[in-house]
Amino acid sequence: MSKIGVFICHCGENISATVDVARVAEAAGQLEGVAFSTDYKYMCSDPGQTMIKQAIKENGLNGVVVGSCSPRMHEPTFRKACQEAGLNPFMCEMANLREHCSWVHDKSEATTQKAIDLVRTLVEKVKLNKPLFSIQVPVTKTALVIGGGIAGIQASLDIASAGHQVILVEKDPSIGGHMSQLSETFPTLDCSQCILTPRMVEVAQHPNIKLMTYAELEKLEGSIGNFKATIRKKAKSIDEDLCNGCGTCTTKCPTKKIPSEFNTGLGMRTAIYVPFPQAVPNKPVIDKENCSYYQKGKCKVCEKVCPTGAIRFDQEDELVELEVGAVVIATGFDIMQPSGFPEYGYGKYKDVITGLQFERLASASGPTLGEIRRPSDGKIPEKIVFVACAGSRDPAKGVPYCSKICCMYTAKHAMLYQHKVHHGKSYIFYMDIRAAGKNYEEFVRRAIVEDEVNYIRGRVSKVYEENGKLIVKGVDTLLSAKPVEIEADMVVLASAAVANPGAEALAQKMHVSYDSYNFFSEAHPKLKPVETNTAGIFLAGACQAPKDIPETVSQASGAASKVIILFSKDELSRDPLIAVVNRSPAPVFSTCVGCFMCASACPYQAIGEELITNRQGKVIKKVAKVNPGLCQGCGTCVAFCRSKSIDIQGYSNEQMCAEVIALLNHE
Amino acid sequence: MSELIKKAAALLESKSVQVVIGYGKGTGNRTRTIFATQVTECENLIFDSRCVQNLAVYLTKLEIKKLGKPAIVAPVPVLRSILQLAVENQITESDLVILGITSESELIDFESFAAIETFLTTHKIEIEEKYTKTIDAIKAMPVAERFAYWVKELESCFKCYACRGACPLCYCTRCTVDDNQPQWISVASHPLGNLEWHIMRAMHLAGRCTDCEACYNACPMGIPIHLLTKSMLQDVADNFGSYGPSLDKQNTLSSFKPDDKESFIR
């Protein structure tokens, strides 16, 4: 006999402003099986919860429906309250009267009616609820960090320093990421490499961090606490144990004219190379695409000159399987090539470069050793034009979002230029100056006032070459709104920050969601900014959205702390809302026919086989079996099962049907 | 024909199999399935263009399984079903002997399911133009008209479930329609109940149906239910690549491939 309590929340005015909550409570009280019904201003508050607990005890309730906000918000709160009153927590259900009703409808009779319907369906469901008990799963206390930029480095160091094992996977030959390419950093103008390289070395030397460079994630299976990751270690063609990083091979390699990725094509590298002198690990790899031996079958100069005999031409990619408990995605971002903007002349004129290329020019480790020189003729530019939003905030040709970092780095670029070329003139075409951040506005002010950078509010319409000069045509839209023409020696485009080309494929491998720009999605924009929708997988840095260094580092530490929290217990307690394959009396044993379509449909590889045997041990039937440690309760298998042999505990076919019927039997 | 009889008899003789499932002469001009358990019964085996029933349906039936290991006369449609049953883990290679047979009554040996798949690459499922035309015409109808069309077509259905019985892929121990806890599909043969049943049947065959038309052939009322499954085949091919059973590709709808078009969610 059902004795259900219904508790309708006003949510301040969030619900009560559009829904007649008293009437909902009254209507619920009339339903068959409802023994108690009331409404209250804040059900989640302490008095509200006490009200629920008291009602359970006084009326001997065996089921509870709370009509309030989304279960994502307060389901744990109310289930805990029920548990404290002696009820199994899974006998408590929530009717979402806020997100599903009051927030999306105007005040009307129909809105109240919908609220009543929502409550009625949940009452019918609760009647069929069964007590359920949490599942305990062990936690593998090793974290996998994907991406060795500043985000990955920070997350790895934090997790490792808390005493847990970390495996840091980086796709390039060295860790360091974009930050290692930068010259100075805003708003303090400290040298990027000077603050980064000590951290890189720390990663390499940390006893708890295992560094895997030139490696990529191939596959990720399992779930929170118990993932199984397969890493592809790309063949470096060297024996890392023998190589002592002397660098003889890189100086002797005859293939020297390969545009260096690290120097954004402004410098050259050899086929066997270390991306930059401070690389970690400081050991070379052979770029097979450009190596004469791999392409034409002869050369082997590196092998001849190597003093330790470390070159291995026959090395092949290696797949390594790892058991990890948590994953931090820190794969960073990419720069949109401004080739979609022919009016700026990028790609056509050598002296039109991107912001990242300017970083290399301004960097002491760059191709010009820190002197600002034109890529075309090596002359020092007298006038530079910087174009902000060259791709950002441009829904038509670029990306609609703000890349966030460009205002600041453009101010920095102009400042660095003024510091290095005292008589030079710099101009910045901008849409708005977005300098929100500690000391950011002051930094921009300093560029304008002290370094006399000319800020022009307006867009550039065209860049073309005339007599060795780049003619920049634009408009100044402040007050006068007059056309501007500048004879520049160099143009720097603040191109948009975009997701990495491999981001979508990686997201699909890991079953994490991503947005329409292929940035990884956080679980909640405000309250869960470092979590993904997949439990146990966290985000750090610009793989989520464009970010500057301080923000990236903070988020990386945030992600690390989430991992450390996860690793603080030996066992994880999980909701038992998982799939189960049914059992029925002989001679059927289970209506499962063992087609195992569920197994291929399962995104978590949670379905295996079970052999049903008789007393003599003879196999009678082979059926599907759900591994409770892996199942996430997504229900894909339930939808796939033709014979309805699988049910999600707490969301059984019977319960769903009861809900639908309750809705359809609308008087 | 003597080849087939000889081979079937030899299989029974050597006790390699306990039963031979094949076609035999029926009443009038019709054929019927025979289950030969004795060498002498093999005499009755026939094969010609009238033999269209999909014998693969018997492979999963408990009553037939009890007879022992079968050999099965398998023209192309049966081969397709056998392959799909293998994909769905219902049969293994050691469970049966396949007496492959072409439309010219030539016998073909199949050592493995993989060999069937190789053979079927030259016998791909092709939906005849007369069907594609009809399907296109139905799809072009406005929703209300299309709904009325199917209500009308399904009007005569009295839920004998012959379509289910004839389909080699309807092998569930308990069909969803027979489940009354909860009763998702209404059992009565009124317009709604009929629609529900036939929509469900088509959906359950999506990505699995091998286009043998056994359901249509079995329907005593001649309802064109094969149009539903044929249309489904097209949809699967349009959205997920190809149709037809494949050990490699496994279950089209339950397996994810990065190059799936998925245009319906993008």
Side-chain angles (χ1 to χ4, degrees), chain A residues 504 508 514 582 588 590-597 600-602 621 640-645 653-654 656-657 660, chain B residues 84 87-90 169 171-176 179 181-184 204-205 208 251 253-256 258 262 266:
Chain A
E504 187 178 16
Q508 289 176 347
Y514 51 97
N582 72 13
V588 177
S590 168
T591 59
C592 170
V593 277
C595 72
F596 293 100
M597 280 211 171
S600 49
C602 176
K621 200 166 189 178
F640 251 96
C641 185
R642 303 184 300 277
S643 57
K644 302 259 178 287
S645 303
N653 257 294
E654 236 179 327
M656 293 301 107
C657 192
V660 174
Chain B
Q84 183 63 28
V87 168
E88 297 180 15
N89 300 295
Q90 298 305 306
L169 298 179
Y171 51 76
C172 288
T173 342
R174 183 198 66 187
C175 179
T176 308
D179 185 10
Q181 278 183 336
Q183 182 90 56
W184 283 110
H204 280 187
L205 285 164
R208 306 170 60 230
N251 299 307
L253 291 191
S254 64
S255 48
F256 167 78
E262 292 184 333
R266 268 164 198 267

Side-chain angles (χ1 to χ4, degrees), chain A residues 299-316:
Chain A
C299 179
K300 292 198 173 183
V301 169
C302 47
E303 192 180 39
K304 281 173 212 125
V305 299
C306 179
T308 60
I311 306 294
R312 295 281 178 275
F313 289 111
D314 57 352
Q315 207 175 60
E316 281 177 7

Side-chain angles (χ1 to χ4, degrees), chain A residues 527-594:
Chain A
L527 299 177
K528 288 186 176 178
V530 303
E531 291 95 329
T532 63
N533 272 326
T534 307
I537 303 185
F538 304 97
L539 298 175
C543 63
Q544 181 202 12
K547 280 190 185 68
D548 58 22
I549 297 165
E551 218 184 332
T552 296
V553 172
S554 320
Q555 198 193 11
S557 286
S561 78
K562 293 288 174 189
V563 173
I564 298 163
I565 294 167
L566 177 64
F567 289 176
S568 67
K569 294 190 194 110
D570 295 329
E571 277 193 331
L572 265 175
S573 186
R574 291 190 42 219
D575 272 358
L577 306 176
I578 54 158
V580 276
V581 179
N582 72 13
R583 277 287 186 279
S584 42
V588 177
F589 303 103
S590 168
T591 59
C592 170
V593 277

Side-chain angles (χ1 to χ4, degrees), chain A residues 330-599:
Chain A
T331 49
F333 69 106
D334 198 11
I335 292 291
M336 179 191 249
Q337 289 303 309
S339 43
F341 297 85
E343 64 269 31
Y344 295 148
Y346 180 81
K348 193 171 169 193
Y349 310 122
K350 275 189 169 174
D351 298 328
V352 179
I353 59 172
T354 64
L356 193 59
Q357 287 179 312
F358 188 87
E359 294 285 351
R360 295 313 303 145
L361 288 183
S363 169
S365 73
T368 57
L369 304 175
E371 286 182 18
I372 312 285
R373 289 183 181 277
R374 308 209 314 172
S376 62
D377 52 13
K379 282 188 189 152
I380 292 174
E382 307 283 310
K383 267 187 196 174
I384 298 194
V385 169
F386 295 91
V387 183
C389 293
S392 307
R393 301 177 68 195
D394 186 346
K397 286 158 70 191
V399 293
Y401 56 83
C402 165
S403 292
K404 204 172 184 179
I405 51 176
C406 327
C407 282
M408 292 307 295
Y409 77 60
T410 302
K412 177 191 78 181
H413 287 170
M415 207 184 258
L416 289 177
Y417 169 69
Q418 294 294 359
H419 292 178
K420 290 185 178 184
V421 185
H422 298 290
H423 62 282
K425 279 198 174 307
S426 54
Y427 301 86
I428 298 178
F429 282 89
Y430 69 100
M431 279 158 66
D432 299 292
I433 304 174
R434 297 188 164 175
K438 189 171 177 178
N439 293 328
Y440 284 12
E441 176 59 26
E442 296 92 317
F443 182 78
V444 173
R445 255 322 109 190
R446 193 174 130 202
I448 297 170
V449 178
E450 289 178 26
D451 296 309
E452 296 176 354
V453 177
N454 299 294
Y455 270 77
I456 304 169
R457 189 186 187 278
R459 306 291 289 153
V460 169
S461 60
K462 196 172 184 182
V463 177
Y464 60 94
E465 209 170 45
E466 207 173 79
N467 306 327
K469 295 274 184 189
L470 290 165
I471 314 297
V472 180
K473 285 197 156 195
V475 64
D476 182 348
T477 56
L478 276 186
L479 299 174
S480 54
K482 58 176 191 281
V484 184
E485 192 175 304
I486 298 166
E487 276 188 16
D489 298 306
M490 190 188 262
V491 174
V492 182
L493 306 174
S495 46
V498 292
N500 266 321
E504 187 178 16
L506 183 67
Q508 289 176 347
K509 270 182 205 165
M510 310 182 72
H511 310 294
V512 299
S513 42
Y514 51 97
D515 64 21
S516 54
Y517 313 118
N518 289 353
F519 285 116
F520 298 108
S521 299
E522 62 281 358
H524 188 285
K526 291 145 206 161
L527 299 177
K528 288 186 176 178
V530 303
E531 291 95 329
T532 63
N533 272 326
T534 307
I537 303 185
F538 304 97
L539 298 175
C543 63
Q544 181 202 12
K547 280 190 185 68
D548 58 22
I549 297 165
E551 218 184 332
T552 296
V553 172
S554 320
Q555 198 193 11
S557 286
S561 78
K562 293 288 174 189
V563 173
I564 298 163
I565 294 167
L566 177 64
F567 289 176
S568 67
K569 294 190 194 110
D570 295 329
E571 277 193 331
L572 265 175
S573 186
R574 291 190 42 219
D575 272 358
L577 306 176
I578 54 158
V580 276
V581 179
N582 72 13
R583 277 287 186 279
S584 42
V588 177
F589 303 103
S590 168
T591 59
C592 170
V593 277
C595 72
F596 293 100
M597 280 211 171
C598 51

